[in-house]
Amino acid sequence: MKFSLALAALLPLAASAADIAVSVGKSGLTFDPTSVKAAAGDVITFSFFPKNHTVTQSTFDNPCEPSANGASSGFTPVASADTPTLWKWTVVDTNPAWFYCAQTAHCKSGMVFAVNPTADKTVAAFTEKAKSGNGTTTSSTTAAPSGSSTATGYGGKNGASHIAASAGAAILAVAGAVAGFAL
Ligand SMILES: *[C@@H]1O[C@H](CO)[C@@H](O)[C@H](O)[C@H]1NC(C)=O
Ligand SMILES: *[C@@H]1O[C@H](CO)[C@@H](O)[C@H](O)[C@H]1NC(C)=O
Ligand SMILES: [Cu+2]
């Protein structure tokens, strides 16, 4: 019963689902486009370009922190722009969904992405929040993202990586600014 109801619910979506392409890090520390409008059941295909980015779900209020039960691609190192790595995320509903790149200092430089932003909660406001550092402070109480269990690769250590990246972010951001390097 439950199964057939679920199937019945999925059928209309399958007929109309759109595939939406978003590139990650194709030209600098950006998502392109920076936001999309999508319906439930639409599939967003993220193409990862060099260097080593993530697509990680957060919240509007804390752009650079993984949200509880949020989705995450995990770190996705890519060597060549000729062979981007793909990761797909299926849109759950028409509510806004917020994403960032969890690589050190990328979020704070504005590497964020929004699905269905609203007039109130715009992608510009979300980006400003990310840049102004809200949500990027290290918090020892921040749990590892539960979504990381579905992330690809890297020995299931994504949760630890997120925390390590978060702890090192401030130091590396300063070092990066001084030395001019980018991760
Ligand atoms: C990708 O970045 C993560 C986090 O900074 C790091 O742990 C990992 O080693 C990197 N992978 C490669 C292949 O550079
Ligand atoms: C960060 O965001 C939270 C939630 O919106 C807010 O309460 C807090 O005042 C913000 N902190 C800063 C430093 O902007
Ligand atoms: Cu990145």
Side-chain angles (χ1 to χ4, degrees):
M1 185 56 169
K2 200 175 174 189
F3 182 69
S4 55
L5 276 177
L7 265 185
L10 280 172
L11 283 175
L13 296 176
S16 60
D19 195 340
I20 301 167
V22 174
S23 62
V24 184
K26 188 174 185 180
S27 43
L29 303 183
T30 56
F31 289 83
D32 184 25
T34 54
S35 71
V36 299
K37 272 209 152 314
D42 288 356
V43 175
I44 302 179
T45 299
F46 295 94
S47 297
F48 285 83
F49 287 81
K51 311 157 182 186
N52 179 3
H53 304 286
T54 80
V55 178
T56 302
Q57 203 169 359
S58 63
T59 59
F60 182 79
D61 287 336
N62 288 298
C64 302
E65 293 289 340
S67 61
N69 303 314
S72 179
S73 64
F75 284 101
T76 307
V78 175
S80 164
D82 295 335
T83 53
T85 299
L86 306 184
W87 182 73
K88 292 173 187 285
W89 184 74
T90 302
V91 177
V92 183
D93 53 34
T94 52
N95 292 327
W98 310 98
F99 294 87
Y100 71 108
C101 173
Q103 184 56 273
T104 306
H106 287 197
C107 183
K108 202 167 174 13
S109 77
M111 191 166 184
V112 295
F113 172 73
V115 179
N116 296 324
T118 65
D120 268 358
K121 297 182 173 180
T122 63
V123 70
F126 182 58
T127 307
E128 270 320 299
K129 244 183 212 286
K131 286 183 171 174
S132 72
N134 199 344
T136 61
T137 53
T138 302
S139 163
S140 54
T141 57
T142 301
S146 12
S148 66
S149 58
T150 60
T152 53
Y154 306 102
K157 292 199 296 188
N158 284 301
S161 298
H162 278 251
I163 288 167
S166 170
I171 295 160
L172 280 171
V174 171
V178 171
F181 72 78
L183 285 162

Coordinates of all heavy atoms in Angstrom, one line a residue, residues 71-118:
A71 N 22.4 17.2 2.5 CA 23.1 16.5 1.5 C 24.6 17.0 1.3 O 24.8 18.2 1.6 CB 22.4 16.5 0.1
S72 N 25.5 16.2 0.9 CA 26.8 16.6 0.6 C 27.5 15.7 -0.4 O 27.4 14.5 -0.3 CB 27.7 16.7 1.8 OG 29.0 17.2 1.5
S73 N 28.2 16.3 -1.4 CA 28.9 15.5 -2.4 C 30.1 14.9 -1.8 O 30.7 14.0 -2.3 CB 29.3 16.4 -3.5 OG 30.2 17.4 -3.1
G74 N 30.6 15.5 -0.7 CA 32.0 15.2 -0.2 C 33.0 15.9 -1.1 O 32.6 16.5 -2.1
F75 N 34.2 15.9 -0.6 CA 35.3 16.6 -1.4 C 35.5 15.8 -2.7 O 35.5 14.6 -2.8 CB 36.6 16.6 -0.6 CG 36.6 17.7 0.5 CD1 36.3 17.3 1.8 CD2 36.7 19.0 0.2 CE1 36.2 18.3 2.8 CE2 36.6 20.0 1.1 CZ 36.4 19.6 2.4
T76 N 35.6 16.6 -3.8 CA 35.6 16.1 -5.1 C 36.8 16.7 -5.9 O 36.6 17.6 -6.6 CB 34.3 16.4 -5.8 OG1 33.2 15.9 -5.0 CG2 34.2 15.7 -7.2
P77 N 38.0 16.1 -5.7 CA 39.1 16.6 -6.4 C 39.1 16.3 -7.9 O 38.7 15.1 -8.2 CB 40.3 15.9 -5.7 CG 39.8 14.8 -5.0 CD 38.3 15.1 -4.7
V78 N 39.3 17.2 -8.7 CA 39.2 17.0 -10.2 C 40.5 17.5 -10.8 O 41.0 18.7 -10.5 CB 38.0 17.7 -10.8 CG1 38.0 17.6 -12.3 CG2 36.7 17.2 -10.2
A79 N 41.2 16.7 -11.6 CA 42.5 17.1 -12.1 C 42.4 17.9 -13.4 O 43.1 18.9 -13.6 CB 43.3 15.8 -12.4
S80 N 41.4 17.6 -14.2 CA 41.4 18.3 -15.5 C 40.0 18.8 -15.9 O 39.0 18.1 -15.6 CB 41.8 17.3 -16.6 OG 41.4 17.8 -17.9
A81 N 39.9 20.0 -16.4 CA 38.6 20.6 -16.8 C 38.0 19.9 -17.9 O 36.8 20.0 -18.2 CB 38.8 22.1 -17.2
D82 N 38.8 19.0 -18.6 CA 38.2 18.2 -19.7 C 37.3 17.1 -19.2 O 36.5 16.6 -19.9 CB 39.3 17.6 -20.5 CG 40.1 18.7 -21.2 OD1 39.6 19.8 -21.5 OD2 41.3 18.4 -21.5
T83 N 37.6 16.7 -17.9 CA 36.8 15.6 -17.4 C 36.2 15.9 -16.0 O 36.6 15.4 -15.0 CB 37.7 14.3 -17.2 OG1 38.9 14.7 -16.5 CG2 38.2 13.8 -18.6
P84 N 35.2 16.8 -16.1 CA 34.5 17.2 -14.8 C 33.8 15.9 -14.2 O 33.4 15.0 -14.9 CB 33.5 18.2 -15.2 CG 33.3 18.1 -16.6 CD 34.6 17.5 -17.2
T85 N 33.8 15.9 -12.8 CA 33.1 14.8 -12.1 C 31.7 15.3 -11.9 O 31.4 16.5 -11.5 CB 33.8 14.5 -10.8 OG1 35.1 14.1 -11.1 CG2 33.1 13.5 -10.0
L86 N 30.7 14.4 -12.0 CA 29.3 14.8 -11.9 C 28.8 14.3 -10.5 O 29.1 13.2 -10.0 CB 28.5 14.2 -13.0 CG 28.9 14.5 -14.4 CD1 27.9 13.9 -15.4 CD2 29.0 16.0 -14.7
W87 N 27.9 15.1 -10.0 CA 27.1 14.7 -8.8 C 25.7 15.2 -8.9 O 25.5 16.4 -9.3 CB 27.8 15.3 -7.5 CG 27.1 14.8 -6.2 CD1 27.2 13.6 -5.6 CD2 26.3 15.7 -5.3 NE1 26.4 13.6 -4.5 CE2 25.9 14.9 -4.3 CE3 25.9 17.0 -5.4 CZ2 25.1 15.4 -3.2 CZ3 25.2 17.5 -4.3 CH2 24.8 16.7 -3.3
K88 N 24.8 14.4 -8.6 CA 23.4 14.8 -8.8 C 22.6 14.9 -7.5 O 22.8 14.1 -6.6 CB 22.6 13.7 -9.7 CG 23.1 13.7 -11.1 CD 22.5 12.5 -11.9 CE 23.1 12.3 -13.3 NZ 22.7 13.3 -14.2
W89 N 21.8 15.9 -7.4 CA 20.9 16.1 -6.3 C 19.5 16.3 -6.8 O 19.2 17.1 -7.7 CB 21.4 17.3 -5.5 CG 20.6 17.5 -4.2 CD1 20.7 16.8 -3.0 CD2 19.6 18.5 -3.9 NE1 19.8 17.3 -2.1 CE2 19.1 18.3 -2.6 CE3 19.1 19.6 -4.7 CZ2 18.2 19.2 -2.0 CZ3 18.1 20.4 -4.1 CH2 17.7 20.2 -2.8
T90 N 18.6 15.5 -6.2 CA 17.2 15.6 -6.6 C 16.4 16.6 -5.7 O 16.5 16.5 -4.5 CB 16.5 14.2 -6.6 OG1 17.2 13.3 -7.4 CG2 15.0 14.3 -7.0
V91 N 15.8 17.6 -6.3 CA 15.0 18.6 -5.6 C 13.8 18.0 -4.9 O 13.1 17.2 -5.5 CB 14.5 19.7 -6.6 CG1 13.7 20.7 -5.9 CG2 15.7 20.3 -7.3
V92 N 13.7 18.2 -3.6 CA 12.7 17.6 -2.8 C 11.4 18.3 -2.9 O 10.3 17.7 -3.0 CB 13.2 17.6 -1.3 CG1 12.1 16.8 -0.4 CG2 14.5 16.9 -1.2
D93 N 11.4 19.7 -2.8 CA 10.2 20.5 -2.9 C 10.6 21.9 -3.4 O 11.7 22.1 -3.7 CB 9.5 20.5 -1.5 CG 10.5 21.0 -0.4 OD1 11.4 21.8 -0.7 OD2 10.3 20.5 0.7
T94 N 9.6 22.7 -3.4 CA 9.9 24.1 -3.9 C 10.4 25.1 -2.9 O 10.6 26.2 -3.1 CB 8.6 24.7 -4.6 OG1 7.6 24.6 -3.6 CG2 8.3 23.9 -5.8
N95 N 10.6 24.6 -1.6 CA 11.2 25.5 -0.6 C 12.6 25.8 -1.0 O 13.3 25.0 -1.7 CB 11.2 24.8 0.8 CG 9.8 24.6 1.3 OD1 8.9 25.4 1.1 ND2 9.6 23.5 2.0
P96 N 13.2 26.9 -0.5 CA 14.6 27.3 -0.8 C 15.5 26.2 -0.2 O 15.2 25.6 0.8 CB 14.8 28.6 -0.1 CG 13.4 29.1 0.2 CD 12.5 28.0 0.3
A97 N 16.6 25.9 -1.0 CA 17.6 25.0 -0.5 C 18.9 25.7 -0.7 O 19.1 26.4 -1.7 CB 17.6 23.7 -1.2
W98 N 19.8 25.7 0.3 CA 21.0 26.5 0.3 C 22.2 25.6 0.3 O 22.3 24.6 1.1 CB 21.0 27.4 1.6 CG 19.7 28.2 1.7 CD1 18.7 27.9 2.5 CD2 19.4 29.4 1.0 NE1 17.7 28.8 2.3 CE2 18.1 29.7 1.4 CE3 20.0 30.2 0.0 CZ2 17.4 30.8 0.9 CZ3 19.4 31.3 -0.5 CH2 18.1 31.6 -0.1
F99 N 23.3 25.9 -0.4 CA 24.5 25.1 -0.6 C 25.7 26.0 -0.5 O 25.7 27.2 -0.9 CB 24.4 24.3 -1.9 CG 23.3 23.3 -2.0 CD1 22.1 23.7 -2.4 CD2 23.5 22.0 -1.6 CE1 21.0 22.7 -2.5 CE2 22.5 21.0 -1.7 CZ 21.3 21.4 -2.1
Y100 N 26.8 25.3 -0.2 CA 28.1 26.0 -0.2 C 29.2 25.0 -0.5 O 29.0 23.8 -0.5 CB 28.4 26.7 1.1 CG 28.7 25.7 2.3 CD1 30.0 25.6 2.8 CD2 27.7 24.9 2.8 CE1 30.3 24.8 3.8 CE2 28.0 24.1 3.9 CZ 29.3 24.0 4.4 OH 29.6 23.1 5.4
C101 N 30.4 25.5 -0.8 CA 31.6 24.7 -0.9 C 32.3 24.6 0.4 O 32.7 25.7 0.9 CB 32.5 25.2 -2.1 SG 34.0 24.2 -2.1
A102 N 32.6 23.4 0.9 CA 33.2 23.3 2.2 C 34.7 23.3 2.2 O 35.3 23.1 3.2 CB 32.7 22.0 2.9
Q103 N 35.3 23.5 1.0 CA 36.7 23.6 0.9 C 37.2 24.9 1.7 O 36.5 25.9 1.7 CB 37.2 23.7 -0.5 CG 38.7 23.7 -0.7 CD 39.4 22.5 0.0 OE1 39.7 22.6 1.2 NE2 39.6 21.4 -0.7
T104 N 38.3 24.8 2.4 CA 38.8 25.8 3.2 C 38.8 27.2 2.5 O 39.3 27.4 1.4 CB 40.3 25.6 3.6 OG1 40.3 24.3 4.2 CG2 40.8 26.6 4.6
A105 N 38.0 28.1 3.2 CA 38.0 29.5 2.7 C 37.1 29.8 1.5 O 36.9 30.9 1.1 CB 39.4 30.1 2.5
H106 N 36.6 28.7 0.8 CA 35.9 28.9 -0.4 C 34.5 29.6 -0.1 O 34.1 30.5 -0.8 CB 35.7 27.6 -1.2 CG 36.9 27.2 -1.9 ND1 36.9 26.2 -2.9 CD2 38.2 27.5 -1.7 CE1 38.1 26.0 -3.3 NE2 38.9 26.8 -2.6
C107 N 33.8 29.1 0.9 CA 32.5 29.7 1.3 C 32.6 31.1 1.6 O 31.9 32.0 1.1 CB 31.9 28.9 2.4 SG 30.2 29.4 2.8
K108 N 33.6 31.4 2.4 CA 33.8 32.8 2.9 C 34.2 33.7 1.7 O 34.0 35.0 1.8 CB 34.9 32.8 4.0 CG 34.8 34.1 4.8 CD 35.7 33.9 6.1 CE 35.8 35.1 6.9 NZ 34.9 36.2 6.7
S109 N 34.7 33.2 0.6 CA 34.9 34.0 -0.5 C 33.7 34.1 -1.4 O 33.8 34.7 -2.5 CB 36.2 33.5 -1.3 OG 35.8 32.4 -2.0
G110 N 32.6 33.5 -1.0 CA 31.3 33.6 -1.7 C 31.0 32.4 -2.6 O 30.1 32.6 -3.5
M111 N 31.6 31.3 -2.4 CA 31.2 30.1 -3.2 C 30.0 29.4 -2.6 O 30.1 28.4 -1.9 CB 32.4 29.1 -3.3 CG 32.2 28.1 -4.3 SD 33.8 27.2 -4.7 CE 33.2 26.1 -6.0
V112 N 28.8 30.0 -3.0 CA 27.6 29.5 -2.5 C 26.6 29.4 -3.6 O 26.7 30.0 -4.7 CB 27.0 30.4 -1.4 CG1 27.9 30.3 -0.1 CG2 26.8 31.8 -1.8
F113 N 25.5 28.7 -3.4 CA 24.5 28.3 -4.4 C 23.1 28.2 -3.8 O 23.0 27.7 -2.7 CB 24.9 27.0 -5.1 CG 23.9 26.5 -6.1 CD1 23.7 27.1 -7.3 CD2 23.2 25.4 -5.7 CE1 22.8 26.6 -8.2 CE2 22.3 24.8 -6.6 CZ 22.1 25.4 -7.9
A114 N 22.1 28.6 -4.5 CA 20.7 28.5 -3.9 C 19.8 27.9 -4.9 O 19.8 28.2 -6.1 CB 20.3 29.9 -3.5
V115 N 18.9 27.1 -4.4 CA 17.8 26.6 -5.1 C 16.5 27.3 -4.6 O 16.3 27.3 -3.4 CB 17.6 25.0 -5.0 CG1 16.4 24.5 -5.8 CG2 18.9 24.3 -5.4
N116 N 15.7 27.8 -5.5 CA 14.5 28.5 -5.2 C 14.7 29.6 -4.1 O 13.9 29.6 -3.1 CB 13.4 27.5 -4.8 CG 13.1 26.6 -5.9 OD1 13.0 27.0 -7.0 ND2 12.8 25.3 -5.5
P117 N 15.6 30.5 -4.3 CA 15.7 31.7 -3.4 C 14.4 32.5 -3.5 O 13.7 32.3 -4.5 CB 16.9 32.5 -3.8 CG 17.0 32.1 -5.3 CD 16.6 30.7 -5.4
T118 N 14.1 33.3 -2.5 CA 12.8 34.1 -2.5 C 13.1 35.6 -2.5 O 14.3 36.0 -2.4 CB 12.0 33.7 -1.3 OG1 12.7 34.2 -0.1 CG2 11.7 32.3 -1.1

